[in-house]
Amino acid sequence: MSEATITNPGAGAPNPTTPASDTSGHGLFAADRKWVTPVLVVGLVVIFVGSLIIGGIRTAGQDETFVGTDSAATEAAEEAGAKPWFQPLFEPAGEVESGLFAIQAAIGSGIIFYCLGRMSGKKAARKQDAAIGVTAAAADASTSSAAAISPDGSTPGPTAPGSRNA
């Protein structure tokens, strides 16, 4: 019984220590198990719907069902006797306030991911430049060593364009 192994582990090939014909998939989340994805999707939907139902039951009878920590902190501070230092310039409606917060979050995440992309691009460019530099240096070394010695074993001197060494 001979086992064929893949010798090149790159580009998505299997591990070279495992036989190429071994596709039994003994793991729980193996690719040949068709039931894993639907079960995970159904489980996710059940968790999402369950959290909405439980959240709705727990907040029944309150003014707002989902309030943030800002309003809870404000209420706690007012109950303790704190007075605001200044009044806001304008108080947008709840929907407008949510929209402004979403725009702020989108701008912030855009800046963060732009910076991450730039850093990743610079790292990749450095690796590519290093790889090109190594291959260019090797090519220069091979051409300069080949040009330094002529076929008869002597080193050629400078020649005028169009002329031949004698």
Side-chain angles (χ1 to χ4, degrees):
M1 173 172 167
S2 69
E3 295 179 350
T5 58
I6 306 269
T7 57
N8 183 7
N15 188 350
T17 60
T18 60
S21 61
D22 183 21
T23 58
S24 61
H26 294 288
L28 177 64
F29 297 109
D32 62 341
R33 308 237 180 194
K34 303 285 186 210
W35 57 270
V36 173
T37 302
V39 167
L40 290 175
V41 169
V42 168
L44 191 65
V45 168
V46 167
I47 290 172
F48 182 74
V49 171
S51 66
L52 286 177
I53 291 171
I54 292 171
I57 291 171
R58 291 185 70 188
T59 59
Q62 295 180 0
D63 292 342
E64 296 180 38
T65 56
F66 295 105
V67 294
T69 57
D70 291 342
S71 60
T74 303
E75 289 174 11
E78 287 175 356
E79 289 175 3
K83 301 216 187 272
W85 293 357
F86 57 88
Q87 295 296 324
L89 298 176
F90 75 100
E91 268 191 59
E95 296 83 17
V96 176
E97 185 177 4
S98 296
L100 291 173
F101 180 75
I103 291 171
Q104 177 186 357
I107 291 171
S109 64
I111 291 170
I112 289 172
F113 287 113
Y114 173 77
C115 293
L116 288 174
R118 290 280 297 182
M119 288 188 297
S120 174
K122 284 182 181 180
K123 184 177 180 181
R126 269 186 262 138
K127 284 183 179 180
Q128 185 178 11
D129 288 345
I132 290 172
V134 169
T135 57
D140 288 342
S142 66
T143 57
S144 64
S145 64
I149 301 173
S150 65
D152 63 351
S154 64
T155 57
T159 58
S163 66
R164 297 167 63 187
N165 272 348

